């Protein structure tokens, strides 16, 4: 079957970005990323069909796009470990500030200062060490978390001089991941009338 669709001129750039496992966010600090977002938004159906032909699924989130792809089976243990990591990351940042989400701006130093007076935040930051080396100090743990979140396109360095980071729209992806976990309360079943 021949595919006769009109694809945008920058499709190669969009593919190169998404195939790395990155997100294209509407609120990116990078104008090129925002332009790619607009181009996908304007040509979503054509791009979805085009990428489907080469085995990629173009997914739309809340103000972001990403690729999903059928992957080889990953062991259950690896999936659980990764889910724990993301839950801990979300928990850490929401403990720092309940409004932490897309568009939020912060400096890592703010989190470290808050951790010095907020025992709960301190404990959460310390508990993330289990995902890394136990020998790391809090600043190193936080720097590694932020570096990974930037690499995965959940955060961007908005102002290098002041070390200000901006939370991308793709943060919704992590929130949706955690929200999709269903925990059933056994006491509800016990309280059902007979």
């Amino acid at each position: 079957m021949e595919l006769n669709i009109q694809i945008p001129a920058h499709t190669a750039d969009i593919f190169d970005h998404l195939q790395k496992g990155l997100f294209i966010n509407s609120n990116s600090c990078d104008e090129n990323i925002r332009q790619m977002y607009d181009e996908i938004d304007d040509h979503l159906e054509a791009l979805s069909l085009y990428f489907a032909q080469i085995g990629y699924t173009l997914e739309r989130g809340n103000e972001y796009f990403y690729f999903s792809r059928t992957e080889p089976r990953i062991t259950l243990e690896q999936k659980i470990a990764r889910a724990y990591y993301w839950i801990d990351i979300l928990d850490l940042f929401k403990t720092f500030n309940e409004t932490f989400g897309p568009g939020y701006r912060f400096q890592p130093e703010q989190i470290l200062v808050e951790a010095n007076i907020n025992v709960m935040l301190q404990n959460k930051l310390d508990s993330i060490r289990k995902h890394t080396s136990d020998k790391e100090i809090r600043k190193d743990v936080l720097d590694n978390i932020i570096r990974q979140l930037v690499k995965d396109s959940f955060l961007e360095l908005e102002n290098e001089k002041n070390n200000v980071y901006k939370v991308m729209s793709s943060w919704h992806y992590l929130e949706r991941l955690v929200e999709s976990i269903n925990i059933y309360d056994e006491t509800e079943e016990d309280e059902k009338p007979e």
Side-chain angles (χ1 to χ4, degrees):
M1 179 174 120
E2 187 175 312
L3 199 62
N4 191 11
I5 57 174
Q6 190 69 24
I7 60 168
H10 300 287
T11 300
D13 295 333
I14 292 168
F15 178 79
D16 286 343
H17 189 81
L18 292 175
Q19 64 91 20
K20 294 175 186 170
L22 301 174
F23 293 85
I24 293 181
N25 293 287
S26 66
N27 68 340
S28 177
C29 300
D30 183 334
E31 186 176 338
N32 293 329
I33 302 290
R34 290 192 312 270
Q35 287 174 347
M36 283 192 278
Y37 177 88
D38 290 339
E39 200 155 354
I40 295 170
D41 197 38
D42 293 342
H43 301 93
L44 182 59
E45 187 176 340
L47 286 170
S48 293
L49 289 170
Y50 181 76
F51 292 133
Q53 296 300 309
I54 56 174
Y56 288 89
T57 303
L58 182 60
E59 303 278 359
R60 173 185 221 129
N62 187 357
E63 297 294 312
Y64 63 92
F65 292 102
Y66 66 100
F67 272 157
S68 66
R69 188 176 176 157
T70 306
E71 299 177 7
R73 292 186 147 256
I74 298 174
T75 66
L76 183 58
E77 293 81 16
Q78 289 172 316
K79 285 183 178 181
I80 291 172
R82 196 70 179 154
Y84 277 137
Y85 174 75
W86 289 121
I87 290 168
D88 287 347
I89 296 300
L90 284 169
D91 191 31
L92 169 75
F93 287 106
K94 287 292 188 180
T95 299
F96 166 65
N97 188 316
E98 289 180 14
T99 64
F100 195 95
Y104 187 86
R105 289 164 175 82
F106 71 98
Q107 295 170 304
E109 298 79 20
Q110 295 171 307
I111 297 171
L112 294 172
V113 168
E114 181 68 21
N116 286 331
I117 56 175
N118 181 333
V119 175
M120 186 185 291
L121 182 62
Q122 189 178 104
N123 291 338
K124 290 180 187 302
L125 190 54
D126 289 343
S127 75
I128 292 180
R129 288 185 194 175
K130 69 184 174 213
H131 300 292
T132 61
S133 167
D134 288 336
K135 296 178 174 66
E136 292 185 49
I137 59 172
R138 280 188 198 119
K139 182 184 181 326
D140 292 341
V141 170
L142 185 60
D143 287 347
N144 287 337
I145 291 168
I146 291 172
R147 190 174 14 259
Q148 184 64 46
L149 289 170
V150 167
K151 180 181 172 214
D152 292 341
S153 63
F154 294 113
L155 300 176
E156 282 186 7
L157 181 60
E158 183 177 59
N159 184 324
E160 192 170 348
K161 181 180 176 187
N162 295 325
N163 200 30
V164 174
Y165 288 85
K166 180 179 177 184
V167 182
M168 298 291 93
S169 297
S170 53
W171 192 262
H172 287 298
Y173 178 85
L174 295 178
E175 293 174 333
R176 199 179 79 195
L177 175 88
V178 172
E179 289 169 359
S180 70
I181 299 170
N182 291 320
I183 299 175
Y184 298 99
D185 187 359
E186 291 177 16
T187 58
E188 288 178 9
E189 287 183 20
D190 294 341
E191 295 172 359
K192 287 182 184 174
E194 294 182 21

